[in-house]
Amino acid sequence: MCGIVGAVRRSEPVLSALIEGLRVLEYRGYDSAGVAVHTGEEVLLCKKQGRLANLEAALAASSFAAGSAGIGHTRWATHGPPSDANAHPHLAGGGQLAMVHNGIIENHQDLRVQLLEKGVEFASQTDSEVLAHLFAVEFAAADGDARAALRAALAQVDGYYAVAFLLSTESGPAIICARQGPPLVVAQGPGGTYLGSDLLALLPHSSDVVFLEDGDIGVLTADGFELFDADGNPVERAPKEIDWDPTEANKGPWPHHMLKEIHEQPDVLARTVFDRMDEQAGDVVLPGLEDEALRSVQRVQVVACGTALHAGWVTRYAIEELARVPVDVEFASEFRYRNPVLVEDTLALALTQSGETADTLAATRLCRELGARVLAICNVQGASQVREADHVIMTHAGPEIGVASTKAFTAQVAAGILLAIRLGRANGALSAERAREVLHGLRSLRFQMEQLLTREKCEHMRSVARNHAAAKGFLFIGRGINFPIALEGALKLKEISYVHAEGYAAGEMKHGPIALIDPGMTIVSVNAPSPLADKMRSNVEQVQARGGVVFSVGSDQATHDLARDVCSVPPTLEILSPLLNVIPLQLFSYYIADQRGCDIDKPRNLAKSVTVE
Ligand code: F6R
């Protein structure tokens, strides 16, 4: 949460690079945005509450063009409401330096009191500003030794940070930065040196990026960057070549990133799955996950958050079905603070699009402490989760910019199914013949997904959404491997439409939620041809008998016959049905949000990638 950019250029003005970087990172926070530029003589500051467009308007009205070093920030508020004053950068040291921060300074109140006693004046209510002044005090005391000052300042801080300071050094304007928790990436481009909290901000300048490790300090000048480890020793971190095309993060002709990303799913599935399938052998190829690595796995512990957790739930059904290995699934935020018991030979499975979700990282670190090996299913190359895991299955969804996750979810589910096949083949629970049947089904899914995304289907979903846009509440129900799809459908709807929606296991309805049913409620039934189809149908009849309005998604015609609205999905194996059923639910949420006039790519109170608790 929050986006950070920085650049020190040789001669070109820096402002356009900062604004372009912030535009790419706006999905990380959009309460306010700001930039600070060093002209060589002074630090200029401009920051505005609201979207980046407000900052751009303010800059257009100023004479802010000069200066080849600068930092910028787009904020997701933690301490202090969104306002111009609380926006970053924060100035300190009599306006001689500026700072941007992502994270939380937990002891900010104590530090604020100490700084006030020293006569420091605060301009904001943020925890971050404390760090700016702490550094300024130490910088003044360290006789211009910025690294010593930063180490001294950070030693007083409890919390998590990616932080960057813009300041003057003997050799000219520079940036000094540090990381403990949230990510920071640096790169050397043709015209200078660049910094970002997200590699997407760097890709226009270089495809070779360097991730700071926790505890690292980086110093950026126009000629390059130097990194120092937690003990202050110079350190080399291997550059990572990123093969994403920076234009993939553009919306192109689509009205929203979310709609573009929904439509990318057939290709994402193909990229994530097809090259890994060995239909002849009835197996999949996952480097590092050969028989030796998997044969001994006794239990799988899934930890993830939000949509990624729902993909973890689907993976649970797939692994138990195909590999007969027991799987536990838990919110990473709960798991990390329990005193969990892991049996010997547990494989911890972290699913995460960003690879930077704080709770997921902490939960997997705990798993490792408890003796488990960690396997990450992750989308972002070089992310912390990837670097820390013992094994990795990368999803090939490309950059996901819409805050509501769509293509990353289907990629996670597809990768989870590949893992289930590999595990089942490694431990002997899965025959080559059954594996071939699933692989064959996967091969057909790309075309089947495309059938759900035709213009005609989308128009149909738009009109279904219109029928339900005024409902007072929504219950999504499913059974078996489609129960997590009910959870996911409800999450998508509430996060972008701000209407109340719950996902429920259909068999639980009579234990309470059926009391909610009346003609104002829409019930979204997610079904699949399965031994549970009859039971699903009778659950739908029961809600219908109580006046609930039913929208039926899936391939069970008998359930469709009961519904007011229907989205038929092509028939596939039950185990693969979540990958199709979720698509109409994503479109349903999208069109309801559109009809309600919501800001689909930037839903209120949210931001992409929860890098703080
Ligand atoms: C919802 C959504 C979130 C994320 C969750 C985990 O649409 O995107 O629920 O799934 O914050 O994020 P990652 O996958 O980056 O760990």
Side-chain angles (χ1 to χ4, degrees), residues 39-51:
T39 64
E41 280 159 15
E42 57 176 341
V43 174
L44 303 177
L45 177 72
C46 186
K47 50 189 195 167
K48 280 282 158 210
Q49 181 182 344
R51 300 292 160 88

Side-chain angles (χ1 to χ4, degrees), residues 269-288:
L269 176 95
R271 288 204 300 265
T272 301
V273 166
F274 286 1
D275 284 353
R276 289 164 164 159
M277 303 198 319
D278 182 346
E279 279 128 313
Q280 221 173 2
D283 207 336
V284 294
V285 180
L286 296 174

